Amino acid sequence: MENKVLYSAVQPSGNLTIGNYAGAIRNWVALQNGYDCFFAMADMHAITVKQEPALLRRRTLELVSLYLACGIDPEKCTLYVQSQVPQHAELTWVLNSIAYVGEMERMTQFKDKSRKHADNINMGLMDYPVLMAADILLYQTDLVPVGADQKQHLEIARDLASRFNNRYGETFRVPEPYIMKEGAKICSLQEPDKKMSKSDENPNASVFLSDDRDTIIRKFKRAVTDSGNEICASEEKKGVTNLLTIYATFKGCTVSEAEKEFEGKGYGDFKLAVGEVVADALAPIQAEQQRLLADKGYVSSVLKAGQERAFKAARKTLSKVYRKVGFYQGD
Ligand code: TRP
């Protein structure tokens, strides 16, 4: 039997944090063995908010290199750049004709981003979920691993797939959400009741995968802890709990093992130890990413192979779609 198709994409904008690593990248590496995985750099989504062109291009390569450095195997996984496969834009146009303005206006992320970028509420921003549906549906995807913030968009992809199938006959597989094994939730180092975010305004709140050792250790030293001096996980001690979670995640142990390790120690030593474990874990990944970034030939050959594979699969679905909607395709 063929493997199920699993699809995901990330936007090459902003720096990834250790939260992205623990919650998403690590899972990907595990999933590539059991599924037929497609994984895109969603640069077309990224331009729905203003981007510096040179930076967007560089970040695309940095992100591909990072994923490779983390263990994504380009033999097992189709790793490609969204804008290099024109069917994404083409299918978006067809789906636009069955997507309602009202349902797009209701999307939480559209409303949030409209508020945040009030001077640039462009059509692309509103069409974002339709492009995302096209991404997913082009590959006859079975499963999409999604976090809470993208769940509504996956619902739209499912609705559009069914709507199209009802109107034109069976064409798309209707994708299901893939609920990931509860990864450790990593919170802000400054406000530990908030999720760690790549766009936090406080530079000490998030640890980026690109941070060097000194920066990482400094950020952990400044992390907020709670009153008292006990190093144990609890509802009342959100700061300490977050640090224990981070330690356990990067050390590869459980939170209770971490608690034992720090029994009787002070906050200062504890924070330093967490910073060191994170820095030690990231060092080999960062070194490999740098090595890959310097090896332009290799990275571009990976992306070329990915593009070819994605193109073939996408072309098959799109030509079916064009036939169903009545586009003339030659005699
Ligand atoms: N919108 C997603 C995000 O910002 C990225 C994305 C684009 C995506 N296309 C996708 C995720 C298709 C899953 C499936 O996180």
Side-chain angles (χ1 to χ4, degrees), residues 187-261:
C187 295
S188 156
L189 298 189
Q190 294 299 317
E191 295 164 85
D193 47 355
K194 269 184 17 192
K195 200 175 142 191
M196 186 180 284
S197 155
K198 55 184 174 182
S199 48
D200 203 303
E201 268 138 43
N202 185 337
N204 289 318
S206 311
V207 177
F208 297 104
L209 296 181
S210 55
D211 283 344
D212 62 31
R213 188 176 189 87
D214 290 348
T215 309
I216 294 171
I217 289 177
R218 180 166 37 80
K219 286 180 178 176
F220 279 104
K221 275 192 183 152
R222 293 190 185 160
V224 302
T225 35
D226 312 86
S227 54
N229 51 18
E230 246 183 302
I231 299 173
C232 61
S234 77
E235 254 318 293
E236 296 81 60
K237 296 186 138 221
K238 291 218 162 62
V240 169
T241 304
N242 187 38
L243 294 176
L244 281 166
T245 305
I246 294 172
Y247 184 83
T249 301
F250 283 88
K251 184 83 193 262
C253 66
T254 66
V255 169
S256 57
E257 283 165 351
E259 282 174 331
K260 276 204 201 81
E261 212 177 310

Side-chain angles (χ1 to χ4, degrees), residues 68-324:
L68 291 169
C70 289
I72 293 286
D73 179 349
E75 300 289 324
K76 292 183 184 154
C77 182
T78 301
L79 191 60
Y80 72 101
V81 179
Q82 184 187 32
S83 63
Q84 289 205 293
V85 178
Q87 287 85 356
H88 290 257
E90 295 174 305
L91 181 58
T92 300
W93 185 253
V94 174
L95 294 178
N96 272 339
S97 304
I98 61 162
Y100 300 116
V101 171
E103 63 190 344
M104 295 306 138
E105 281 172 337
R106 279 197 297 276
M107 291 288 105
T108 310
Q109 192 177 79
F110 173 66
K111 289 194 277 190
D112 286 350
K113 289 195 179 172
S114 299
R115 228 170 286 132
K116 213 166 141 195
H117 306 276
D119 57 337
N120 184 24
I121 306 175
N122 59 75
M123 293 296 291
L125 199 58
M126 190 154 119
D127 211 22
Y128 182 113
V130 181
L131 175 60
M132 186 163 151
D135 296 345
I136 296 166
L137 301 182
L138 271 178
Y139 301 95
Q140 303 294 349
T141 297
D142 295 288
L143 294 166
V144 183
V146 277
D149 64 326
Q150 297 297 318
K151 247 171 123 173
Q152 215 179 24
H153 291 162
L154 179 60
E155 253 337 288
I156 286 284
R158 288 167 50 81
D159 288 349
L160 292 176
S162 311
R163 202 176 295 165
F164 189 97
N165 289 347
N166 286 332
R167 195 170 300 180
Y168 296 106
E170 208 50 35
T171 308
F172 296 119
R173 193 166 296 162
V174 181
E176 302 283 337
Y178 178 90
I179 310 298
M180 284 197 271
K181 247 198 296 125
E182 190 59 67
K185 185 176 165 213
I186 291 186
C187 295
S188 156
L189 298 189
Q190 294 299 317
E191 295 164 85
D193 47 355
K194 269 184 17 192
K195 200 175 142 191
M196 186 180 284
S197 155
K198 55 184 174 182
S199 48
D200 203 303
E201 268 138 43
N202 185 337
N204 289 318
S206 311
V207 177
F208 297 104
L209 296 181
S210 55
D211 283 344
D212 62 31
R213 188 176 189 87
D214 290 348
T215 309
I216 294 171
I217 289 177
R218 180 166 37 80
K219 286 180 178 176
F220 279 104
K221 275 192 183 152
R222 293 190 185 160
V224 302
T225 35
D226 312 86
S227 54
N229 51 18
E230 246 183 302
I231 299 173
C232 61
S234 77
E235 254 318 293
E236 296 81 60
K237 296 186 138 221
K238 291 218 162 62
V240 169
T241 304
N242 187 38
L243 294 176
L244 281 166
T245 305
I246 294 172
Y247 184 83
T249 301
F250 283 88
K251 184 83 193 262
C253 66
T254 66
V255 169
S256 57
E257 283 165 351
E259 282 174 331
K260 276 204 201 81
E261 212 177 310
F262 292 108
E263 228 170 58
K265 297 241 167 72
Y267 281 165
D269 290 344
F270 171 49
K271 291 200 262 186
L272 179 64
V274 182
E276 281 177 340
V277 155
V278 172
D280 288 347
L282 295 187
I285 296 174
Q286 292 171 340
E288 177 63 3
Q289 184 192 20
Q290 289 312 315
R291 191 189 69 74
L292 287 163
L293 272 172
D295 191 351
K296 291 247 160 53
Y298 175 70
V299 174
S300 81
S301 75
V302 164
L303 290 177
K304 182 104 187 41
Q307 177 198 21
E308 279 167 13
R309 254 185 289 167
F311 186 91
K312 265 199 200 133
R315 186 177 54 189
K316 197 163 152 204
T317 300
L318 190 75
S319 86
K320 201 162 156 192
V321 167
Y322 275 17
R323 201 166 60 239
K324 298 263 181 166

